[in-house]
Amino acid sequence: MAFKHKTSFLLLVWIPSVLAMGMSKSTDSHKSVQNWSFGFNYTNSPSRHRHPTQSSRRIIVGGTDNWRFGANYTEWARKTAPFFFNDTLVFKFDPPSENNTHPHSVYLLPNLWSFLRCDLRWAKQVAKTTAGGGEGFEFVLNKWKPYYFACGESNGFHCQSGMKFFAMPMFRWY
Ligand SMILES: *[C@@H]1O[C@H](CO)[C@@H](O)[C@H](O)[C@H]1NC(C)=O
Ligand SMILES: *[C@@H]1O[C@H](CO)[C@@H](O)[C@H](O)[C@H]1NC(C)=O
Ligand SMILES: *[C@@H]1O[C@H](CO)[C@@H](O)[C@H](O)[C@H]1NC(C)=O
Ligand SMILES: *[C@@H]1O[C@H](CO)[C@@H](O)[C@H](O)[C@H]1NC(C)=O
Ligand SMILES: *[C@@H]1O[C@H](CO)[C@@H](O)[C@H](O)[C@H]1NC(C)=O
Ligand SMILES: [Cu+2]
């Protein structure tokens, strides 16, 4: 059920935006300004009031929870979105130690299907279990593509328990 829900959400976002881009090409090709908002409501987005020269945001994944077992990062991402180009995601998690025998990591999953199933077979590890200490592991959203993040530990169990989220960086419109 959750699968269907997420897939239809993506279709709702992508199909209208693709159509809108195609239409603007044929009818509004004389206009130089592209509308990249894709119909999202940015009214309560904090970056709306930011000055263009202000540097990109540094976002702690999970907020005060950091990157830990038991938190639901789909929920977190829903509350935190939209993400923007060049936003830096910071994953903070304790390295393995005698007191931390179940550490975390960060993987990028290749597609929505792997993401929904927490299938790590073609995933790319971007942060080792030791990388999240101190200031944390930093990841810059510098491509226009969907990013599927997940913890890769315990053979997908952490991912299935909520340690995964999706981020699609947006263009700023100023
Ligand atoms: C862009 O599209 C959104 C949603 O369709 C609309 O609310 C907004 O006014 C548009 N902005 C411009 C500059 O056309
Ligand atoms: C956008 O969100 C704000 C705050 O939640 C709301 O007041 C406003 O009516 C919304 N605008 C549209 C076009 O949905
Ligand atoms: C993102 O950062 C890179 C490197 O600092 C910069 O060259 C690029 O212009 C930035 N892009 C946007 C859309 O801010
Ligand atoms: C592990 O916990 C014990 C007891 O709280 C503490 O004495 C010890 O220093 C901790 N070890 C590490 C590596 O943090
Ligand atoms: C996390 O929250 C989402 C959205 O509310 C929900 O669909 C999902 O089942 C939750 N995941 C877990 C592991 O509880
Ligand atoms: Cu984990």
Side-chain angles (χ1 to χ4, degrees):
M1 229 151 77
F3 291 6
K4 268 185 196 158
H5 190 75
K6 278 192 188 124
T7 308
S8 55
F9 169 73
L10 285 180
L11 289 176
L12 285 173
V13 172
W14 277 100
I15 291 176
S17 60
V18 168
L19 289 176
M21 282 163 79
M23 272 155 64
S24 70
K25 241 182 206 141
S26 54
T27 58
D28 297 333
S29 53
H30 57 286
K31 284 183 189 165
S32 57
V33 179
Q34 273 272 17
N35 189 341
W36 288 108
S37 84
F38 295 150
F40 273 77
N41 184 350
Y42 289 104
T43 303
N44 42 19
S45 165
S47 53
R48 190 165 164 266
H49 303 292
R50 289 167 59 242
H51 193 265
T53 56
Q54 203 170 324
S55 64
S56 296
R57 302 180 302 174
R58 200 169 174 278
I59 302 167
I60 311 290
V61 175
T64 52
D65 273 336
N66 294 335
W67 186 234
R68 70 167 179 86
F69 188 83
N72 186 328
Y73 292 88
T74 299
E75 274 294 307
W76 171 81
R78 194 177 59 75
K79 289 178 192 144
T80 310
F83 297 92
F84 292 101
F85 266 109
N86 283 358
D87 278 352
T88 301
L89 297 182
V90 184
F91 294 82
K92 291 188 169 179
F93 48 98
D94 293 332
S97 71
E98 55 174 311
N99 295 335
N100 180 25
T101 51
H102 292 90
H104 307 294
S105 60
V106 184
Y107 281 68
L108 270 182
L109 303 180
N111 53 49
L112 180 64
W113 186 241
S114 305
F115 176 75
L116 294 174
R117 300 171 63 90
C118 285
D119 181 349
L120 292 157
R121 274 178 293 174
W122 296 284
K124 182 185 164 203
Q125 185 171 39
V126 291
K128 293 193 166 80
T129 55
T130 49
E135 290 299 295
F137 166 72
E138 298 191 347
F139 188 99
V140 183
L141 301 175
N142 57 9
K143 293 197 181 76
W144 191 48
K145 64 164 208 174
Y147 289 92
Y148 304 101
F149 291 102
C151 178
E153 299 314 296
S154 301
N155 216 359
F157 176 62
H158 285 204
C159 175
Q160 279 152 17
S161 306
M163 294 191 78
K164 65 170 173 179
F165 67 97
F166 162 91
M168 176 73 210
M170 297 279 158
F171 284 105
R172 290 189 176 81
W173 55 93
Y174 41 70

